[in-house]
Amino acid sequence: MTTKYLRPRALAEYLQISRATLYRWLQTDPTFPRPARCGGVTLFPVEEVERWLAMKVS
């Protein structure tokens, strides 16, 4: 099974938030999944973000 990653813009669209909100969550919420850097590209693991969302909802 391969892990799916999204760039910040795609993740913001997926979550239906602005990129500013995404970066604010990174700055202010220590539980928000940290991105990986690959060749200078920022990538967020979708599975970890979905787990974070589930934790916030419950």
Side-chain angles (χ1 to χ4, degrees):
M1 179 157 125
T2 60
T3 301
K4 182 176 179 181
Y5 292 90
L6 291 175
R7 289 183 175 198
R9 181 180 304 213
L11 181 61
E13 289 176 15
Y14 177 75
L15 295 173
Q16 298 181 349
I17 60 171
S18 68
R19 282 190 290 166
T21 297
L22 177 64
Y23 287 113
R24 185 173 55 251
W25 287 354
L26 273 171
Q27 293 292 315
T28 62
D29 188 343
T31 65
F32 190 78
R34 297 296 169 223
R37 301 272 303 164
C38 182
V41 176
T42 301
L43 300 169
F44 289 88
V46 176
E47 284 182 22
E48 288 183 31
V49 173
E50 289 175 344
R51 265 186 254 133
W52 177 82
L53 280 173
M55 182 182 71
K56 289 293 187 184
V57 172
S58 58

